[in-house]
Amino acid sequence: MSGQNPFASFEKSFTKDGTVYKYFDLASIDRKYDQLPYSIRVLLESAVRNCDNFHILEKDVQSILGWTPGLKQGTNDVEVSFKPARVILQDFTGVPAVVDFAAMRDAVLELGGNPEKINPICPADLVIDHSVQVDFARTEDALAKNQNLEFERNKERFTFLKWGARAFNNMLIVPPGSGIVHQVNLEYLARVVFENDASDGSKTLYPDSVVGTDSHTTMINGLGVLGWGVGGIEAEAVMLGQSISMLLPEVIGYKLEGKLSPLATSTDLVLTITKHLRQLGVVGKFVEFYGPGVAELSIADRATISNMCPEYGATVGYFPIDENTLGYMRQTNRSEKKIDTIREYLKATQQLRNYADEAQDPKFTQSITLDLATVVTSVSGPKRPHDRVSVCDMPEDFKSCLSSPVGFKGFAIAPEALGASGEFQWDDGKTYKLHHGSVVIAAITSCTNTSNPSVMLGAGMLAKKAVEKGLTIMPYIKTSLSPGSGVVTYYLKESGVIPYLEKLGFDIVGYGCMTCIGNSGPLEENVVNTIEKNGLVCAGVLSGNRNFEGRIHPNTRANYLASPLLVIAYAIAGRVDIDFEKEPLGVDANGQNVYLRDIWPTRSEIHAVESKHVIPAMFQEVYSKIELGSPDWQTLAVSDSKLYPWSADSTYIKRPPFFEGMTRVLPKLQSVKNARCLLYLGDSVTTDHISPAGSIARNSPAARFLANRNLTPRDFNSYGSRRGNDAIMARGTFANIRLVNKLVTKTGPRTLHIPSQEEMDIFDAADRYREEGTSLVLVVGKDYGSGSSRDWAAKGPFLLGVKAVIAESYERIHRSNLVGMGIIPLQFLSGQSAETLKLSGREVYNIALPESGLKPGQKIQVEADGTVFETILRFDTEVDITYYQNGGILNYMIRKMLA
């Protein structure tokens, strides 16, 4: 049971404008405090404030206080508990959370409990932002058409979410059409410092911190709010008042010096940092930025760097709060009174940073330095976000990729096919030609860049100069602009650049995650046929953070991340293998060559426009109405029942089977016996490969399921929109067209049913194994589950019957999600792999688990057709073991509610 806080004597207060503000004086607890990294101080404050020797133990506080630069993960691991201040859910990953909460209410009722006990305890915000697909582009009414289609396709799901907002306490739903979750979080939802009302009339102050169901939740670290992505399952537990069990991290100090060149953008900087840190290896670690160069970066620049934290692999990329942070709060219309209170609190707790003062620099596990002046114009690709290429090197790099063997930097185009091309006719009656490297998608999209006025205004200014020079974009290139919030549209209009963007085809097509998440929509049929008939490696260029194979569009085999300015530049050029220094973009009215340097705005030019047009009144205007939603949202009729009225006919919302057969009594642990390998995979299998995402292919098991319910392909919608229906999501698990399964010869979502030696769709094979009563395992390589945090990347395999995964290594969030679904994550011993053990994936697998006495990280024996080998049990904490013993984290929470 909860007890008195042993650190209550360290609570202090100050009075401001007649209000008493209470806080914990962390510095007085231990003199080591001022040596701690600022990110660790946030963990410490949460532990001190929440310490009750039940959820948070006194030893958690002492462990965090004892953080030292000598801490090495894997050598002297220290487990601690952390209670975030709030949870943020984005659209697609948020729906399953609400579905699970609704199903938990039913389960509690069926087991004899009170269903209304199931409510978010920790504040939860859900932003509907992933629903829009770019069906219409390059037309002035594209926005209205796309949003109308969005509502038509998703009305049932939106109705369910609106029901959830009414049925559950402590949950805010931000309606569709408002913006991308991470930008709305940055501009509106983030508190920076919480003010909670106390019963005695005072207010308690503590740092804002957040976990979210998207890996790019890390963007908020640019505002000094500690936050990272967790599995949807883990986020649901936090919503139910549970703490996060985590390993105390190493903290890498990343020192920034100097200034960016006048022509460099924040995108160039983040791509440089991403490659640097990925090479260094920061998975599972905190990165904290310091040094005088940080003060040269705007909060939007910092947020861009923090946003791509998952791409460089760290848990967070943290920027401690400084006066620039408080200035951003003022710019985004936070009140002056609140800002003054925050400043006083941060000073009192030594959490306000002066980047120019070296005396404030804490101790780090390791420190590295980047001179901002060395950053050059860059892109990343063609298949991974950390494969940075200087723009000046792009022509040779792309040429090399064409002929290199299939891999992250290769397409294996035969020598005789390097000059391949194809022609097609467009609606204007003209004939156009495509080659390798031709751009067919150019999208200004994604939270990474659309939250940053400098690059968005820069793109608009470049567009203006391009139009004035008479430059145009080929009509077949699918261009689009999807702002991260209404504020972006506001300042683009006020600065006068919208007409020039539209002239080039960059019409606003919607608000939310679009091309970057795979919602690029269809390409014109003649373009697709030309690409496929001639085997062309055509390109997408986007201002996003993810370009994994198969993610952006099936017909863009090469995809490059770039600043919004470069997106427009490559669209004008029409190809990615252009040498911008030597080759012109076109000619002006006088027949003079126009080069990229002739239309590229400098940072000072952009800053002048930004200072004039990005003002607090814009944020007030946009966010004062954000919770109202559109007229369509306001007129949605929803049930007042506290239990959701499930419909057996629904193909969007379905009660999940996770709690079927559940009992109050804890079940006994059982070993995995006579299991078959469903998939035998290599390295860097991402959640994009695993989790259902993008459009539903017409020949897929999910399509057959929907067709059997009289839906036409036009109404299939995307997997993301149907995440509330487990029957569809199970059928879409591992449905990625680029999946390489060593049990079959061709790339795609196919596998071998080993007993019959029949090749079939993965779901069909799993279903046959289920009918035969056979358990399943996955055998995979390194970095299994990298990419966005997606709960269906664990829920899907669970529904397919997967009991264990045997991998060389795991991505942090995905391993947690596997545990949360009751799947055993096993890891090959160092130096061993499926290849070194000569496993073929055709064996029968037996995994021996002890009935009691499971320990984190213990050795577990696996037997595969006579080959016996040891693995590491990747239950990293005692909490992991508890979740697994209960059959998953949600089952644990139900039993806890019933106790």
Side-chain angles (χ1 to χ4, degrees), residues 611-875:
S611 299
K612 182 178 179 181
H613 294 290
V614 184
I615 56 176
M618 290 182 177
F619 295 88
Q620 165 67 18
E621 172 70 18
V622 170
Y623 284 113
S624 64
K625 301 177 291 188
I626 193 170
E627 294 177 30
L628 293 175
S630 66
D632 287 334
W633 175 264
Q634 293 173 36
T635 57
L636 278 180
V638 299
S639 168
D640 290 328
S641 171
K642 296 297 183 180
L643 297 175
Y644 186 69
W646 308 99
S647 169
D649 297 327
S650 175
T651 56
Y652 278 98
I653 305 296
K654 175 179 174 289
R655 179 177 170 177
F658 305 137
F659 313 118
E660 290 179 1
M662 182 180 173
T663 62
R664 282 178 175 254
V665 180
L666 200 64
K668 290 184 178 180
L669 285 183
Q670 294 185 352
S671 296
V672 179
K673 298 178 181 179
N674 301 319
R676 287 289 188 177
C677 177
L678 179 64
L679 298 169
Y680 182 22
L681 307 172
D683 297 342
S684 296
V685 173
T686 71
T687 51
D688 282 342
H689 292 105
I690 308 167
S691 182
S695 59
I696 297 174
R698 296 188 181 192
N699 61 346
S700 66
R704 293 195 293 272
F705 177 86
L706 292 170
N708 288 339
R709 282 150 182 79
N710 300 317
L711 271 73
T712 64
R714 179 180 178 273
D715 298 317
F716 284 175
N717 212 329
S718 65
Y719 281 113
S721 66
R722 295 186 181 273
R723 286 192 185 189
N725 189 309
D726 62 271
I728 293 170
M729 298 303 282
R731 286 166 170 79
T733 301
F734 292 109
N736 191 292
I737 60 173
R738 304 297 183 194
L739 185 73
V740 178
N741 176 17
K742 299 177 186 178
L743 293 178
V744 293
T745 55
K746 293 184 179 179
T747 299
R750 305 276 288 175
T751 196
L752 186 70
H753 177 256
I754 296 166
S756 67
Q757 291 296 292
E758 289 183 57
E759 185 179 317
M760 59 185 70
D761 287 328
I762 291 169
F763 174 82
D764 294 337
D767 199 42
R768 185 178 294 187
Y769 281 124
R770 180 188 58 79
E771 292 172 353
E772 296 166 352
T774 302
S775 297
L776 299 172
V777 300
L778 306 178
V779 178
V780 299
K782 300 182 183 71
D783 300 326
Y784 180 67
S786 56
S788 297
S789 58
R790 292 180 175 164
D791 55 342
W792 275 109
K795 287 179 177 177
F798 170 84
L799 292 172
L800 294 180
V802 173
K803 303 298 183 185
V805 179
I806 311 172
E808 290 182 60
S809 63
Y810 295 88
E811 193 275 338
R812 178 185 62 85
I813 299 172
H814 186 61
R815 184 210 62 82
S816 172
N817 270 357
L818 291 175
V819 176
M821 284 309 300
I823 296 175
I824 308 167
L826 299 176
Q827 187 164 312
F828 290 107
L829 299 183
S830 179
Q832 291 188 350
S833 65
E835 287 77 14
T836 64
L837 294 168
K838 294 183 169 48
L839 300 178
S840 66
R842 297 168 183 260
E843 302 86 357
V844 174
Y845 290 81
N846 290 284
I847 301 169
L849 289 182
E851 290 187 6
S852 62
L854 273 181
K855 296 179 180 178
Q858 76 181 79
K859 300 288 180 61
I860 295 293
Q861 194 174 83
V862 179
E863 184 268 330
D865 281 1
T867 299
V868 179
F869 57 97
E870 284 194 326
T871 60
I872 300 169
L873 181 65
R874 286 300 310 275
F875 295 156

Side-chain angles (χ1 to χ4, degrees), residues 53 61 67 71 89 262 281 311 322 378 386 407 472 477 494 517 553 564 583 675 828 835 863 879:
N53 280 319
V61 174
W67 184 94
L71 177 75
L89 308 166
E311 283 67 49
D322 68 345
S378 305
H386 54 276
T472 59
I477 297 177
E494 288 296 309
I517 195 65
H553 192 282
E583 300 178 71
F828 290 107
E835 287 77 14
E863 184 268 330
V879 173

